[in-house]
């Protein structure tokens, strides 16, 4: 079992998606891709509120991709 975090879930416009952990360190203004292929400005991965989390649904495509990896 991998003891290090390899992905993060973030609510961005259009849903709560799973991103590779490296996306969190991508400079603002650059595009990052979720496992499902959805793209967002890397700035959207930071400073999310609890309201952001409950307003967005989890992306089931990301969910299946992550589940199949484990």
């Amino acid at each position: 079992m991998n003891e290090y975090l390899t992905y993060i879930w973030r609510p961005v416009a259009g849903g709560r998606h799973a991103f590779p952990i490296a996306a969190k360190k991508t400079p603002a203004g650059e595009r990052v891709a979720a496992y499902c292929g959805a793209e967002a400005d890397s700035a959207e991965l930071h400073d999310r509120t609890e309201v952001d989390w409950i307003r967005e649904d989890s992306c089931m495509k990301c969910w299946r991709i992550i589940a199949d990896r484990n």
Side-chain angles (χ1 to χ4, degrees):
M1 178 176 221
N2 188 347
E3 62 185 81
Y4 299 104
L5 187 62
T6 60
Y7 59 89
I8 54 172
W9 284 92
R10 288 295 186 265
V12 296
R16 190 178 318 114
H17 294 277
F19 292 86
I21 193 68
K24 192 172 179 182
K25 295 184 181 199
T26 302
E30 290 188 28
R31 304 294 289 173
V32 291
Y35 283 96
C36 69
E39 292 189 357
D41 185 304
S42 61
E44 289 187 61
L45 304 183
H46 303 281
D47 301 324
R48 305 315 298 186
T49 67
E50 286 185 38
V51 173
D52 295 329
W53 279 89
I54 61 174
R55 283 187 177 158
E56 299 291 348
D57 291 327
S58 291
C59 171
M60 294 314 294
K61 187 172 181 182
C62 282
W63 182 270
R64 282 187 294 277
I65 292 167
I66 294 298
D68 288 345
R69 289 177 38 180
N70 295 319

PDB file of all heavy atoms in Angstrom, residues 28-41:
ATOM      1  N   ALA A  28      -0.118  29.317 -10.258  1.00  0.00           N
ATOM      2  CA  ALA A  28      -1.403  29.899 -10.657  1.00  0.00           C
ATOM      3  C   ALA A  28      -1.306  30.404 -12.095  1.00  0.00           C
ATOM      4  O   ALA A  28      -0.271  30.895 -12.527  1.00  0.00           O
ATOM      5  CB  ALA A  28      -1.773  31.039  -9.719  1.00  0.00           C
ATOM      6  N   GLY A  29      -2.385  30.236 -12.824  1.00  0.00           N
ATOM      7  CA  GLY A  29      -2.411  30.664 -14.210  1.00  0.00           C
ATOM      8  C   GLY A  29      -2.145  29.532 -15.187  1.00  0.00           C
ATOM      9  O   GLY A  29      -2.408  29.666 -16.373  1.00  0.00           O
ATOM     10  N   GLU A  30      -1.631  28.413 -14.677  1.00  0.00           N
ATOM     11  CA  GLU A  30      -1.385  27.253 -15.537  1.00  0.00           C
ATOM     12  C   GLU A  30      -2.548  26.283 -15.392  1.00  0.00           C
ATOM     13  O   GLU A  30      -3.160  26.164 -14.335  1.00  0.00           O
ATOM     14  CB  GLU A  30      -0.071  26.572 -15.167  1.00  0.00           C
ATOM     15  CG  GLU A  30       1.136  27.414 -15.527  1.00  0.00           C
ATOM     16  CD  GLU A  30       2.443  26.660 -15.327  1.00  0.00           C
ATOM     17  OE1 GLU A  30       2.452  25.423 -15.422  1.00  0.00           O
ATOM     18  OE2 GLU A  30       3.452  27.329 -15.062  1.00  0.00           O
ATOM     19  N   ARG A  31      -2.848  25.570 -16.466  1.00  0.00           N
ATOM     20  CA  ARG A  31      -3.934  24.603 -16.477  1.00  0.00           C
ATOM     21  C   ARG A  31      -3.445  23.273 -15.903  1.00  0.00           C
ATOM     22  O   ARG A  31      -2.319  22.856 -16.143  1.00  0.00           O
ATOM     23  CB  ARG A  31      -4.448  24.375 -17.901  1.00  0.00           C
ATOM     24  CG  ARG A  31      -4.892  25.621 -18.628  1.00  0.00           C
ATOM     25  CD  ARG A  31      -6.089  26.290 -18.043  1.00  0.00           C
ATOM     26  NE  ARG A  31      -7.310  25.511 -18.268  1.00  0.00           N
ATOM     27  CZ  ARG A  31      -8.473  25.823 -17.729  1.00  0.00           C
ATOM     28  NH1 ARG A  31      -8.589  26.869 -16.950  1.00  0.00           N
ATOM     29  NH2 ARG A  31      -9.537  25.088 -17.968  1.00  0.00           N
ATOM     30  N   VAL A  32      -4.311  22.652 -15.122  1.00  0.00           N
ATOM     31  CA  VAL A  32      -4.045  21.319 -14.600  1.00  0.00           C
ATOM     32  C   VAL A  32      -5.214  20.427 -15.011  1.00  0.00           C
ATOM     33  O   VAL A  32      -6.335  20.891 -15.172  1.00  0.00           O
ATOM     34  CB  VAL A  32      -3.867  21.322 -13.062  1.00  0.00           C
ATOM     35  CG1 VAL A  32      -2.578  22.031 -12.682  1.00  0.00           C
ATOM     36  CG2 VAL A  32      -5.048  21.970 -12.367  1.00  0.00           C
ATOM     37  N   ALA A  33      -4.929  19.145 -15.185  1.00  0.00           N
ATOM     38  CA  ALA A  33      -5.954  18.199 -15.627  1.00  0.00           C
ATOM     39  C   ALA A  33      -6.260  17.189 -14.531  1.00  0.00           C
ATOM     40  O   ALA A  33      -5.353  16.628 -13.912  1.00  0.00           O
ATOM     41  CB  ALA A  33      -5.501  17.473 -16.887  1.00  0.00           C
ATOM     42  N   ALA A  34      -7.547  16.977 -14.307  1.00  0.00           N
ATOM     43  CA  ALA A  34      -8.001  15.935 -13.388  1.00  0.00           C
ATOM     44  C   ALA A  34      -7.848  14.583 -14.072  1.00  0.00           C
ATOM     45  O   ALA A  34      -7.617  14.508 -15.283  1.00  0.00           O
ATOM     46  CB  ALA A  34      -9.461  16.185 -13.010  1.00  0.00           C
ATOM     47  N   TYR A  35      -7.996  13.533 -13.318  1.00  0.00           N
ATOM     48  CA  TYR A  35      -7.877  12.188 -13.887  1.00  0.00           C
ATOM     49  C   TYR A  35      -8.889  11.944 -14.998  1.00  0.00           C
ATOM     50  O   TYR A  35      -8.611  11.211 -15.944  1.00  0.00           O
ATOM     51  CB  TYR A  35      -8.016  11.127 -12.800  1.00  0.00           C
ATOM     52  CG  TYR A  35      -6.755  11.004 -11.989  1.00  0.00           C
ATOM     53  CD1 TYR A  35      -6.619  11.680 -10.785  1.00  0.00           C
ATOM     54  CD2 TYR A  35      -5.691  10.234 -12.432  1.00  0.00           C
ATOM     55  CE1 TYR A  35      -5.457  11.583 -10.042  1.00  0.00           C
ATOM     56  CE2 TYR A  35      -4.524  10.143 -11.703  1.00  0.00           C
ATOM     57  CZ  TYR A  35      -4.414  10.813 -10.512  1.00  0.00           C
ATOM     58  OH  TYR A  35      -3.253  10.732  -9.776  1.00  0.00           O
ATOM     59  N   CYS A  36     -10.052  12.579 -14.924  1.00  0.00           N
ATOM     60  CA  CYS A  36     -11.084  12.385 -15.941  1.00  0.00           C
ATOM     61  C   CYS A  36     -10.830  13.212 -17.192  1.00  0.00           C
ATOM     62  O   CYS A  36     -11.510  13.047 -18.197  1.00  0.00           O
ATOM     63  CB  CYS A  36     -12.456  12.748 -15.367  1.00  0.00           C
ATOM     64  SG  CYS A  36     -12.640  14.522 -15.065  1.00  0.00           S
ATOM     65  N   GLY A  37      -9.863  14.134 -17.126  1.00  0.00           N
ATOM     66  CA  GLY A  37      -9.564  14.995 -18.260  1.00  0.00           C
ATOM     67  C   GLY A  37     -10.081  16.411 -18.101  1.00  0.00           C
ATOM     68  O   GLY A  37      -9.734  17.292 -18.885  1.00  0.00           O
ATOM     69  N   ALA A  38     -10.917  16.668 -17.084  1.00  0.00           N
ATOM     70  CA  ALA A  38     -11.400  18.038 -16.835  1.00  0.00           C
ATOM     71  C   ALA A  38     -10.211  18.924 -16.505  1.00  0.00           C
ATOM     72  O   ALA A  38      -9.277  18.495 -15.824  1.00  0.00           O
ATOM     73  CB  ALA A  38     -12.400  18.047 -15.684  1.00  0.00           C
ATOM     74  N   GLU A  39     -10.239  20.145 -16.995  1.00  0.00           N
ATOM     75  CA  GLU A  39      -9.139  21.072 -16.745  1.00  0.00           C
ATOM     76  C   GLU A  39      -9.601  22.259 -15.920  1.00  0.00           C
ATOM     77  O   GLU A  39     -10.763  22.660 -15.988  1.00  0.00           O
ATOM     78  CB  GLU A  39      -8.548  21.566 -18.066  1.00  0.00           C
ATOM     79  CG  GLU A  39      -7.835  20.491 -18.838  1.00  0.00           C
ATOM     80  CD  GLU A  39      -7.082  21.043 -20.034  1.00  0.00           C
ATOM     81  OE1 GLU A  39      -7.155  22.261 -20.307  1.00  0.00           O
ATOM     82  OE2 GLU A  39      -6.406  20.245 -20.701  1.00  0.00           O
ATOM     83  N   ALA A  40      -8.664  22.810 -15.155  1.00  0.00           N
ATOM     84  CA  ALA A  40      -8.932  23.986 -14.339  1.00  0.00           C
ATOM     85  C   ALA A  40      -7.642  24.780 -14.196  1.00  0.00           C
ATOM     86  O   ALA A  40      -6.547  24.231 -14.350  1.00  0.00           O
ATOM     87  CB  ALA A  40      -9.427  23.573 -12.959  1.00  0.00           C
ATOM     88  N   ASP A  41      -7.774  26.063 -13.906  1.00  0.00           N
ATOM     89  CA  ASP A  41      -6.613  26.875 -13.552  1.00  0.00           C
ATOM     90  C   ASP A  41      -6.118  26.350 -12.209  1.00  0.00           C
ATOM     91  O   ASP A  41      -6.921  26.092 -11.305  1.00  0.00           O
ATOM     92  CB  ASP A  41      -7.017  28.346 -13.433  1.00  0.00           C
ATOM     93  CG  ASP A  41      -5.840  29.259 -13.175  1.00  0.00           C
ATOM     94  OD1 ASP A  41      -5.105  29.028 -12.186  1.00  0.00           O
ATOM     95  OD2 ASP A  41      -5.648  30.194 -13.949  1.00  0.00           O
TER      96      ASP A  41
END
